[in-house]
Amino acid sequence: GAGVSQSPSNKVTEKGKDVELRCDPISGHTALYWYRQSLGQGLEFLIYFQGNSAPDKSGLPSDRFSAERTGGSVSTLTIQRTQQEDSAVYLCASSQTGRETQYFGPGTRLLVL
Amino acid sequence: QQPVQSPQAVILREGEDAVINCSSSKALYSVHWYRQKHGEAPVFLMILLKGGEQKGHDKISASFNEKKQQSSLYLTASQLSYSGTYFCGTVALSGGYNKLIFGAGTRLAVHP
């Protein structure tokens, strides 16, 4: 596609439910990143994929968070048993090999009630 | 590990200049600069790959001092459209993989 796309754009869920956030990177980009941004805050690194493997998961806040990437393309970030503190904008970015420009998607705004 | 940005916030009148600094405790491969406007995703401004390299984009330029592990973003004759939060991101030389870590951001407000 022309750019990075994410879905859904907005998600409202109840505390305790599971959510899945999807990211479609730019075609051909091998590196994919997930970030979390709380209101008025900076970009919190969550996880980095190179191809289908994740050499760095150090940013995942707890074991309720997991992510996978299939076919070297689409990635899914799953949050189990959501908590109110999970409310934030979840941004996905991709780059060609990992050291170049990162192109960000529009983000998914998650609200946990 | 997170690069340190300064200042945290800047308020300018249109036409004034500003400098935003980014420093790291690690030897760096590259420094990236992004701007994020309210409610939008971050947008790439420029990347600096070599020590001492300077790049410019319109009236926004940046330098990279490899020895000091620092980068500075220069905004000249600021325009209202420059308002937003500026993030630097750094890729360390070591680590074996390509992880971009962002600083906490610098909020810039340009007023008429």
Side-chain angles (χ1 to χ4, degrees):
Chain A
V4 179
S5 61
Q6 291 185 245
S7 61
S9 53
N10 291 281
K11 177 72 177 178
V12 181
T13 190
E14 293 179 349
K15 179 181 171 181
K17 302 266 184 167
D18 298 351
V19 294
E20 277 191 358
L21 312 180
R22 177 187 167 108
C23 172
D24 271 285
I26 292 173
S27 178
H29 280 193
T30 62
L32 186 148
Y33 303 78
W34 282 99
Y35 298 93
R36 179 168 71 174
Q37 189 172 36
S38 301
L39 190 63
Q41 300 301 308
L43 297 160
E44 178 188 3
F45 168 82
L46 296 179
I47 188 169
Y48 158 68
F49 285 94
Q50 185 64 253
N52 289 337
S53 61
D56 192 335
K57 305 178 183 179
S58 63
L60 295 177
S62 72
D63 58 9
R64 296 186 296 105
F65 288 72
S66 62
E68 64 175 13
R69 189 178 184 195
T70 55
S73 182
V74 171
S75 176
T76 303
L77 177 69
T78 302
I79 309 173
Q80 295 179 308
R81 305 180 303 281
T82 52
Q83 304 293 312
Q84 288 180 333
E85 61 262 29
D86 298 336
S87 297
V89 176
Y90 289 81
L91 290 160
C92 171
S94 72
S95 74
Q96 198 153 8
T97 66
R99 286 188 164 184
E100 306 84 3
T101 304
Q102 287 198 8
Y103 297 90
F104 282 83
T108 293
R109 283 162 182 75
L110 175 66
L111 178 62
V112 182
L113 300 175
Chain B
Q1 194 172 0
Q2 181 184 41
V4 176
Q5 284 187 237
S6 63
Q8 289 185 322
V10 184
I11 299 174
L12 298 175
R13 291 229 177 262
E14 211 171 356
E16 292 180 337
D17 302 341
V19 179
I20 300 172
N21 299 303
C22 174
S23 64
S24 173
S25 59
K26 289 180 172 286
L28 299 176
Y29 173 80
S30 65
V31 179
H32 302 221
W33 285 97
Y34 291 77
R35 177 172 63 205
Q36 185 178 31
K37 293 185 177 286
H38 183 69
E40 299 178 8
V43 173
F44 171 79
L45 292 176
M46 63 190 77
I47 181 173
L48 300 107
L49 291 171
K50 299 176 187 176
E53 184 175 23
Q54 295 196 11
K55 283 200 169 182
H57 180 64
D58 198 8
K59 290 181 179 171
I60 299 176
S61 61
S63 64
F64 178 20
N65 186 321
E66 190 177 1
K67 288 182 181 177
K68 291 186 178 180
Q69 297 157 194
Q70 292 176 346
S71 177
S72 295
L73 186 71
Y74 307 94
L75 300 110
T76 307
S78 59
Q79 305 169 16
L80 296 177
S81 61
Y82 286 4
S83 294
T85 301
Y86 290 77
F87 293 98
C88 75
T90 56
V91 178
L93 273 175
S94 61
Y97 52 82
N98 307 316
K99 178 178 173 179
L100 183 65
I101 299 293
F102 285 96
T106 295
R107 287 187 176 78
L108 175 69
V110 182
H111 296 291

